[in-house]
Amino acid sequence: MDWQGQKSAEMLMQVLLVASAVAAFLVGYAMADFQLMLLVYAGGVVLTALVTVPNWPFFNRHPLKWLDPAEADRHPRPIVISAAALTAVKKKIGKNK
Amino acid sequence: MHSWTQRLLAAATTATLLLLAACVAASALDAFHVPAVQAQAHVTKINRFHKQINGNDKVTLTFNVSADLESLFTWNTKQVFVFLTAEYENAKNALNQVSLWDRIVPDKDHAKLQVEVKSKYPLIDQGSSLRGRKVQLVLHWHIMPNAGVMIRGKMPLSEFNLPDAYTS
């Protein structure tokens, strides 16, 4: 699951759960049946889990674009040398002259 | 790190929280429900009135109870416990309550009661103060909801006077 997928999975989960809770409450109250409310809500929770828990292809539409390894070879990291090492190198070069 | 177990746990936590909210809402709606109970109870016969060996007065009564408890039921009602008490005042206590009859009403279909009770529970005093005593019959109910706290209510129904002498 990519970054965008994680975000949309989280949002889908919250929206679906709130929607099913509200729907369940309204149905239960309208039909004057507490058990019906619990059943509708349970259905909503199962549906939410099915939609948001598995790693569906839907959540992988924005893959991260990594740089090609060749790109790194073309731009090598600069080598850091300490001041002492630098003078030693300079001395060596001077001797060779 | 973002795995399916994390998503499952997050969904379960949110679902539980919302279920709690739905239960709280259902319970809160009950606060606006005003029941209109209609009930009557009359003592038809005093079967036996005597003093027990331990010195306590004991009365066995026959009485009629009719009650319409349908208005106690809401969608959040699991069951209703209804009971009839004899209440009286004497020198010992400002209020004595003795349960004479009770019943569990499981649903609205059984909420219309019409019974003749031949002393389910006897009226026994703590001591010997019942002769000539004025006694009030009071109907009490405890509404047990699916979610939320138990709701109590009561309704005084009728009064009767016990005889001035024991029957046996």
Side-chain angles (χ1 to χ4, degrees):
Chain A
M1 193 175 277
D2 58 45
W3 298 116
Q4 286 294 320
Q6 291 181 21
K7 193 179 171 187
S8 52
E10 173 88 12
M11 215 165 76
L12 256 180
M13 183 266 277
Q14 290 182 356
V15 167
L16 280 176
L17 281 180
V18 169
S20 57
V22 170
F25 188 83
L26 291 179
V27 169
Y29 185 74
M31 308 292 284
D33 191 342
F34 198 83
Q35 203 177 357
L36 187 67
M37 176 183 91
L38 295 183
L39 285 175
V40 170
Y41 186 54
V45 171
V46 169
L47 181 79
T48 307
L50 282 179
V51 170
T52 64
V53 170
N55 188 7
W56 297 112
F58 168 77
F59 294 122
N60 291 292
R61 283 195 195 151
H62 305 275
L64 273 187
K65 289 192 184 73
W66 292 90
L67 279 183
D68 196 67
E71 198 74 17
D73 292 340
R74 236 172 284 148
H75 304 280
R77 287 172 68 185
I79 301 161
V80 181
I81 304 175
S82 68
L86 192 65
T87 50
V89 170
K90 273 181 181 169
K91 261 183 195 172
K92 227 177 188 180
I93 293 168
K95 261 183 197 170
N96 286 352
K97 264 185 183 171
Chain B
M1 182 68 190
H2 192 79
S3 61
W4 68 270
T5 41
Q6 277 181 309
R7 291 196 291 278
L8 185 65
L9 285 177
T13 308
T14 314
T16 311
L17 205 68
L18 285 168
L19 179 64
L20 180 74
C23 288
V24 167
S27 174
L29 277 186
D30 274 351
F32 299 103
H33 178 70
V34 182
V37 172
Q38 291 181 328
Q40 285 186 323
H42 294 288
V43 172
T44 52
K45 196 177 168 219
I46 290 165
N47 301 320
R48 193 168 179 223
F49 182 23
H50 71 290
K51 188 191 260 190
Q52 292 178 303
I53 296 168
N54 58 21
N56 292 336
D57 280 356
K58 177 177 173 181
V59 191
T60 53
L61 301 162
T62 301
F63 51 89
N64 292 316
V65 183
S66 66
D68 181 358
L69 303 173
E70 280 183 349
S71 66
L72 291 179
F73 283 81
T74 69
W75 72 304
N76 187 26
T77 304
K78 178 176 158 51
Q79 63 181 18
V80 171
F81 178 64
V82 58
F83 59 103
L84 188 79
T85 57
E87 309 199 346
Y88 57 94
E89 185 189 343
N90 61 10
K92 215 174 191 174
N93 302 306
L95 176 64
N96 296 276
Q97 285 180 305
V98 184
S99 181
L100 296 180
W101 167 84
D102 57 16
R103 173 171 288 192
I104 295 167
V105 184
D107 52 52
K108 209 171 185 171
D109 298 335
H110 297 88
K112 278 193 169 144
L113 305 173
Q114 182 84 51
V115 283
E116 186 186 30
V117 186
K118 284 176 180 161
S119 119
K120 185 169 183 179
Y121 309 123
L123 166 51
I124 299 175
D125 189 23
Q126 290 178 330
S128 178
S129 71
L130 286 186
R131 276 166 298 174
R133 182 69 59 193
K134 189 173 80 176
V135 178
Q136 189 169 42
L137 293 179
V138 182
L139 190 74
H140 295 254
W141 56 85
H142 292 174
I143 305 170
M144 291 157 204
N146 287 311
V149 293
M150 194 173 77
I151 303 157
R152 298 157 191 249
K154 66 175 177 179
M155 182 187 217
L157 295 182
S158 67
E159 288 182 348
F160 68 99
N161 284 297
L162 284 166
D164 292 329
Y166 298 123
T167 57
S168 61

